[in-house]
Amino acid sequence: MPSRFDNRTVNTFKKDIKFSTKLEKYFFHQWLNVLEQSSSIYVSDWSDNGCGNDGEFIAKGNTAGADYKISGSVRGVGLDAKLTEEPLEIKWVPTAGKFTLKENDLKAYVEEEASILFIYNSVRCGTDMRKPKDYDFERHIRLIESKADQIKWGIMWSPRVKEFYNNAKEKSLFKPINYMGGKSGVVLKQKDFSEWFVEENWN
């Protein structure tokens, strides 16, 4: 079985990608709404990046690039800058405590000069917000929205993504990750999030 599928069948892989892409699209548009209350980030325009965000299976080609491109500006978060089609990857992390990032994905983001928008559950409360086995999207969204008070977000801007990747390479932090099909990855623990991005409340 190709390593790309992380030990899943092709059929399961297709359903998982379709669901995850739909969920990331939901979070991206919700994030744009969240920004209406933000004084630090302004998004004037956005577009799909690369192969699009419909979740359809792509048999060949590079699928590791960022999800969207955004234009606008950033102020007061350690990066006062104008954004011009900044590649932006969306990462929803339903399990509190850590992020796990694949080495090849990070390398692709560095090469693309992409930033990463993390949207994550910050509290271990016993609620399982991982992808449901029945793929019931609407019910899953209702569950996530019922826990909106414990969801946070933050952007690791492209210079910090590069620094994070180089740091992991230099310190040999990339290791095979069993739950990612043995692919090389690095774990960022929640206690260290604030070293790499500003943590913001979702609501």
Short mmCIF file of all heavy atoms in Angstrom, two decimals, residues 130-151:
data_model
loop_
_atom_site.label_atom_id
_atom_site.label_comp_id
_atom_site.label_asym_id
_atom_site.label_seq_id
_atom_site.Cartn_x
_atom_site.Cartn_y
_atom_site.Cartn_z
N ARG A 130 -12.32 14.20 17.00
CA ARG A 130 -11.67 13.66 15.81
C ARG A 130 -12.72 13.29 14.77
O ARG A 130 -13.91 13.23 15.05
CB ARG A 130 -10.85 12.42 16.19
CG ARG A 130 -9.64 12.73 17.08
CD ARG A 130 -8.95 11.47 17.53
NE ARG A 130 -9.82 10.66 18.37
CZ ARG A 130 -9.47 9.48 18.90
NH1 ARG A 130 -8.27 8.98 18.66
NH2 ARG A 130 -10.32 8.82 19.66
N LYS A 131 -12.24 13.04 13.56
CA LYS A 131 -13.13 12.70 12.46
C LYS A 131 -14.02 11.52 12.84
O LYS A 131 -13.54 10.47 13.24
CB LYS A 131 -12.30 12.35 11.23
CG LYS A 131 -13.09 11.96 10.01
CD LYS A 131 -12.20 11.77 8.80
CE LYS A 131 -11.21 10.63 8.97
NZ LYS A 131 -9.92 10.99 9.54
N PRO A 132 -15.36 11.65 12.75
CA PRO A 132 -16.26 10.56 13.13
C PRO A 132 -16.22 9.40 12.14
O PRO A 132 -16.03 9.61 10.93
CB PRO A 132 -17.64 11.23 13.15
CG PRO A 132 -17.51 12.34 12.16
CD PRO A 132 -16.09 12.85 12.28
N LYS A 133 -16.40 8.20 12.64
CA LYS A 133 -16.34 7.02 11.77
C LYS A 133 -17.49 6.99 10.75
O LYS A 133 -17.36 6.38 9.70
CB LYS A 133 -16.35 5.76 12.62
CG LYS A 133 -15.08 5.59 13.46
CD LYS A 133 -15.11 4.31 14.27
CE LYS A 133 -13.82 4.16 15.08
NZ LYS A 133 -13.82 2.93 15.91
N ASP A 134 -18.61 7.65 11.09
CA ASP A 134 -19.74 7.65 10.16
C ASP A 134 -19.72 8.82 9.18
O ASP A 134 -20.60 8.96 8.34
CB ASP A 134 -21.07 7.63 10.92
CG ASP A 134 -21.28 8.87 11.80
OD1 ASP A 134 -20.42 9.79 11.77
OD2 ASP A 134 -22.29 8.92 12.51
N TYR A 135 -18.71 9.69 9.30
CA TYR A 135 -18.52 10.84 8.39
C TYR A 135 -19.74 11.78 8.38
O TYR A 135 -20.00 12.45 7.38
CB TYR A 135 -18.22 10.37 6.97
CG TYR A 135 -16.95 9.57 6.85
CD1 TYR A 135 -16.97 8.19 6.88
CD2 TYR A 135 -15.71 10.21 6.69
CE1 TYR A 135 -15.80 7.43 6.78
CE2 TYR A 135 -14.54 9.46 6.58
CZ TYR A 135 -14.59 8.07 6.63
OH TYR A 135 -13.44 7.34 6.53
N ASP A 136 -20.45 11.85 9.50
CA ASP A 136 -21.61 12.75 9.58
C ASP A 136 -21.09 14.16 9.83
O ASP A 136 -20.81 14.55 10.97
CB ASP A 136 -22.55 12.30 10.72
CG ASP A 136 -23.87 13.07 10.75
OD1 ASP A 136 -23.87 14.26 10.38
OD2 ASP A 136 -24.89 12.49 11.14
N PHE A 137 -20.99 14.94 8.77
CA PHE A 137 -20.36 16.25 8.85
C PHE A 137 -21.15 17.24 9.69
O PHE A 137 -20.59 17.93 10.54
CB PHE A 137 -20.15 16.81 7.43
CG PHE A 137 -19.39 18.11 7.40
CD1 PHE A 137 -18.01 18.11 7.53
CD2 PHE A 137 -20.04 19.32 7.24
CE1 PHE A 137 -17.30 19.32 7.50
CE2 PHE A 137 -19.34 20.51 7.22
CZ PHE A 137 -17.97 20.51 7.36
N GLU A 138 -22.44 17.34 9.45
CA GLU A 138 -23.26 18.33 10.15
C GLU A 138 -23.28 18.08 11.65
O GLU A 138 -23.18 19.02 12.46
CB GLU A 138 -24.68 18.33 9.59
CG GLU A 138 -24.78 18.72 8.12
CD GLU A 138 -24.14 20.06 7.82
OE1 GLU A 138 -24.22 20.97 8.68
OE2 GLU A 138 -23.54 20.21 6.74
N ARG A 139 -23.38 16.83 12.05
CA ARG A 139 -23.36 16.51 13.48
C ARG A 139 -22.00 16.83 14.08
O ARG A 139 -21.91 17.31 15.22
CB ARG A 139 -23.71 15.04 13.70
CG ARG A 139 -23.87 14.67 15.20
CD ARG A 139 -24.38 13.27 15.37
NE ARG A 139 -23.41 12.29 14.87
CZ ARG A 139 -23.67 11.00 14.74
NH1 ARG A 139 -24.88 10.53 15.02
NH2 ARG A 139 -22.74 10.17 14.29
N HIS A 140 -20.95 16.59 13.31
CA HIS A 140 -19.60 16.87 13.80
C HIS A 140 -19.40 18.37 14.00
O HIS A 140 -18.80 18.79 15.00
CB HIS A 140 -18.59 16.33 12.79
CG HIS A 140 -17.18 16.31 13.31
ND1 HIS A 140 -16.81 15.65 14.47
CD2 HIS A 140 -16.04 16.88 12.82
CE1 HIS A 140 -15.52 15.81 14.67
NE2 HIS A 140 -15.02 16.56 13.70
N ILE A 141 -19.92 19.17 13.09
CA ILE A 141 -19.82 20.62 13.23
C ILE A 141 -20.56 21.10 14.48
O ILE A 141 -20.08 21.96 15.21
CB ILE A 141 -20.36 21.34 11.97
CG1 ILE A 141 -19.44 21.09 10.77
CG2 ILE A 141 -20.53 22.84 12.23
CD1 ILE A 141 -18.03 21.59 10.96
N ARG A 142 -21.73 20.52 14.73
CA ARG A 142 -22.48 20.90 15.94
C ARG A 142 -21.68 20.59 17.20
O ARG A 142 -21.69 21.36 18.17
CB ARG A 142 -23.84 20.19 15.97
CG ARG A 142 -24.83 20.70 14.93
CD ARG A 142 -26.25 20.26 15.23
NE ARG A 142 -26.39 18.81 15.14
CZ ARG A 142 -26.70 18.15 14.03
NH1 ARG A 142 -26.89 18.82 12.90
NH2 ARG A 142 -26.82 16.84 14.03
N LEU A 143 -20.98 19.45 17.19
CA LEU A 143 -20.15 19.08 18.35
C LEU A 143 -19.02 20.09 18.53
O LEU A 143 -18.79 20.57 19.65
CB LEU A 143 -19.57 17.68 18.14
CG LEU A 143 -18.55 17.22 19.18
CD1 LEU A 143 -19.20 17.11 20.56
CD2 LEU A 143 -17.92 15.88 18.77
N ILE A 144 -18.34 20.42 17.45
CA ILE A 144 -17.23 21.38 17.53
C ILE A 144 -17.73 22.74 18.02
O ILE A 144 -17.11 23.36 18.90
CB ILE A 144 -16.55 21.52 16.16
CG1 ILE A 144 -15.78 20.23 15.82
CG2 ILE A 144 -15.61 22.73 16.12
CD1 ILE A 144 -15.25 20.19 14.41
N GLU A 145 -18.84 23.19 17.48
CA GLU A 145 -19.37 24.50 17.88
C GLU A 145 -19.82 24.53 19.34
O GLU A 145 -19.78 25.57 19.97
CB GLU A 145 -20.51 24.89 16.94
CG GLU A 145 -20.01 25.22 15.53
CD GLU A 145 -21.12 25.59 14.57
OE1 GLU A 145 -22.31 25.32 14.89
OE2 GLU A 145 -20.81 26.15 13.49
N SER A 146 -20.21 23.37 19.87
CA SER A 146 -20.61 23.31 21.28
C SER A 146 -19.39 23.46 22.21
O SER A 146 -19.55 23.74 23.40
CB SER A 146 -21.31 21.98 21.58
OG SER A 146 -20.40 20.89 21.61
N LYS A 147 -18.19 23.31 21.65
CA LYS A 147 -16.96 23.43 22.43
C LYS A 147 -16.13 24.63 21.98
O LYS A 147 -14.92 24.69 22.23
CB LYS A 147 -16.13 22.15 22.29
CG LYS A 147 -16.81 20.90 22.80
CD LYS A 147 -17.00 20.94 24.30
CE LYS A 147 -17.67 19.69 24.82
NZ LYS A 147 -17.79 19.70 26.31
N ALA A 148 -16.78 25.60 21.35
CA ALA A 148 -16.07 26.74 20.78
C ALA A 148 -15.28 27.51 21.83
O ALA A 148 -14.25 28.12 21.51
CB ALA A 148 -17.06 27.68 20.08
N ASP A 149 -15.72 27.48 23.08
CA ASP A 149 -15.03 28.24 24.13
C ASP A 149 -13.65 27.68 24.45
O ASP A 149 -12.83 28.38 25.06
CB ASP A 149 -15.88 28.30 25.39
CG ASP A 149 -16.16 26.93 25.98
OD1 ASP A 149 -16.29 25.96 25.21
OD2 ASP A 149 -16.25 26.82 27.22
N GLN A 150 -13.36 26.43 24.07
CA GLN A 150 -12.05 25.87 24.36
C GLN A 150 -11.17 25.73 23.11
O GLN A 150 -10.06 25.22 23.17
CB GLN A 150 -12.20 24.50 25.04
CG GLN A 150 -12.83 23.41 24.20
CD GLN A 150 -13.19 22.19 25.04
OE1 GLN A 150 -13.83 22.32 26.09
NE2 GLN A 150 -12.80 21.02 24.60
N ILE A 151 -11.67 26.24 21.99
CA ILE A 151 -10.90 26.22 20.75
C ILE A 151 -10.09 27.50 20.64
O ILE A 151 -10.56 28.58 20.96
CB ILE A 151 -11.83 26.05 19.53
CG1 ILE A 151 -12.48 24.66 19.57
CG2 ILE A 151 -11.05 26.22 18.22
CD1 ILE A 151 -13.50 24.43 18.48
#
